[in-house]
Amino acid sequence: PLPTALLACGLSCAAATGCGGSADEGRLEVLIQAEDTITRGLDPGTGPENLVDGWTARFDKYVVALGNVKLGRDADHIEVTDTVRRAYDLVQAPQADWELTELAGLEGKRYDFFGYETVHAEEAERHPSVSEADFDEMVEHHATYLIEGRISRDAEEVTFRFLVPADTAYGPCEVDGLPGVPITGGGTFAVGLTIHGDHLFFDSFGTHDVERRAQWIADADVDADGHVDVAELRTITGAALSQLLPSNRYALGGWTAFPIETAYDFLRAQLHTQGHFQGEGECVWTVDGVAGGHDHDHDHDHDH
């Protein structure tokens, strides 16, 4: 469990209807959830969360900084803002979920807008699941994610380490077309911020027929040393990028927030899309003022 000091809510009393906890007021518990693609990895196969090109993927670290929960009528009418932000290593996520924050003194009603953000590490606290050295490195590089892992196929193995800034606003969020969160007077509602771990293997943005492929990471090992990092991804441009992400397998047109000119841009763009809600619930993402979403099928149950 988190130390009590780390659970302090950043909600301003003035932003809600009061802090007295009366019978007319409700509470919202905000949890951190890791998709099982992070905690268990991805296996080869033809299923909805398999790697179709025969690779196996496992993560050793999957650190993300997130928080800044917001509630309101819509994006233009935010009524409650919470300022808690924290960096977690989702590989270590417990079955019971971590609590990011708890919002008290909420008016009993449905808030149609629920949103949150991934942020730069320097804007967040370090959760004990993240080492001080890793957190300091994230702060130094203004990173949102620190992802370490490996892909393997037959006798071949390629490790990777990605330190990436990907600050993103998520919201409005919904589950099965139902937006936001319901708050009842005197009650507590729990909601999960869910980070998916398979988007860096996606072959497209915002389409129903997403397939997951790891070959691009193996092919990005330009110097053939068995390891890929951000510096190497930045060198893959132009014709080399087209060869790495061939148009007969990759559809990149669904991404418009910034141009994908390097392999690093592709990685960064996919990481911007990973924020979900209540497992498979969807959130509109906003990056540099450009909003988007994805409507690919989720044919599996959330398991974390």
Side-chain angles (χ1 to χ4, degrees):
L2 292 175
T4 301
L6 290 183
L7 295 178
C9 178
L11 174 66
S12 167
C13 290
T17 56
C19 294
S22 75
D24 296 329
E25 298 168 349
R27 305 172 72 89
L28 180 66
E29 183 182 13
V30 182
L31 307 175
I32 300 296
Q33 300 174 332
E35 191 188 38
D36 58 357
T37 55
I38 294 176
T39 56
R40 300 181 185 177
L42 292 88
D43 294 321
T46 58
E49 280 192 346
N50 290 142
L51 294 168
V52 300
D53 52 5
W55 290 91
T56 297
R58 296 291 184 266
F59 295 109
D60 300 314
K61 297 177 182 178
Y62 212 107
V63 182
V64 59
L66 75 172
N68 284 347
V69 171
K70 294 180 173 66
L71 302 175
R73 191 168 79 233
D74 54 45
D76 295 322
H77 299 87
I78 301 300
E79 300 168 54
V80 179
T81 299
D82 184 271
T83 59
V84 171
R85 301 175 295 270
R86 198 169 292 122
Y88 298 86
D89 182 359
L90 299 181
V91 170
Q92 301 182 43
Q95 289 292 316
D97 302 325
W98 284 307
E99 181 179 276
L100 172 71
T101 189
E102 187 174 278
L103 283 61
L106 300 177
E107 182 181 355
K109 64 177 183 179
R110 172 170 285 279
Y111 290 88
D112 286 330
F113 182 94
F114 177 92
Y116 66 99
E117 298 175 2
T118 54
V119 300
H120 295 162
E122 65 267 26
E123 302 170 11
E125 299 174 318
R126 180 184 66 86
H127 182 263
S129 61
V130 182
S131 73
E132 291 186 12
D134 285 341
F135 185 73
D136 290 346
E137 186 179 11
M138 291 179 70
V139 169
E140 179 184 356
H141 294 275
H142 310 291
T144 303
Y145 286 95
L146 170 59
I147 302 172
E148 291 185 10
R150 59 201 180 278
I151 58 172
S152 58
R153 187 175 64 184
D154 300 325
E156 184 178 3
E157 180 176 273
V158 178
T159 61
F160 52 85
R161 189 175 195 269
F162 301 138
L163 199 63
V164 185
D167 48 314
T168 312
Y170 294 101
C173 298
E174 63 178 39
V175 177
D176 296 329
L178 191 62
V181 294
I183 302 298
T184 57
T188 299
F189 186 76
V191 65
L193 313 185
T194 312
I195 300 297
H196 285 198
D198 55 351
H199 288 213
L200 72 164
F201 303 111
F202 279 10
D203 61 0
S204 62
F205 296 90
T207 64
H208 280 287
D209 56 349
V210 167
E211 290 187 323
R212 293 151 181 81
R213 302 175 184 275
Q215 185 64 45
W216 79 271
I217 294 179
D219 292 342
D221 182 18
V222 178
D223 59 9
D225 67 348
H227 181 73
V228 178
D229 59 17
V230 164
E232 200 161 18
L233 295 183
R234 290 181 185 273
T235 69
I236 302 173
T237 64
L241 180 64
S242 297
Q243 185 175 1
L244 184 75
L245 307 172
S247 59
N248 64 332
R249 289 186 177 178
Y250 286 85
L252 307 184
W255 180 259
T256 58
F258 51 76
I260 296 178
E261 298 176 339
T262 70
Y264 171 68
D265 293 332
F266 172 73
L267 170 66
R268 188 162 56 103
Q270 292 289 18
L271 294 182
H272 277 298
T273 72
Q274 291 199 126
H276 284 253
F277 175 65
Q278 296 285 62
E280 298 300 341
E282 303 288 355
C283 301
V284 173
W285 69 74
T286 302
V287 179
D288 297 334
V290 178
H294 48 77
D295 54 4
H296 61 84
D297 291 332
H298 293 292
D299 298 324
H300 58 282
D301 294 327
H302 172 65
D303 185 10
H304 59 276

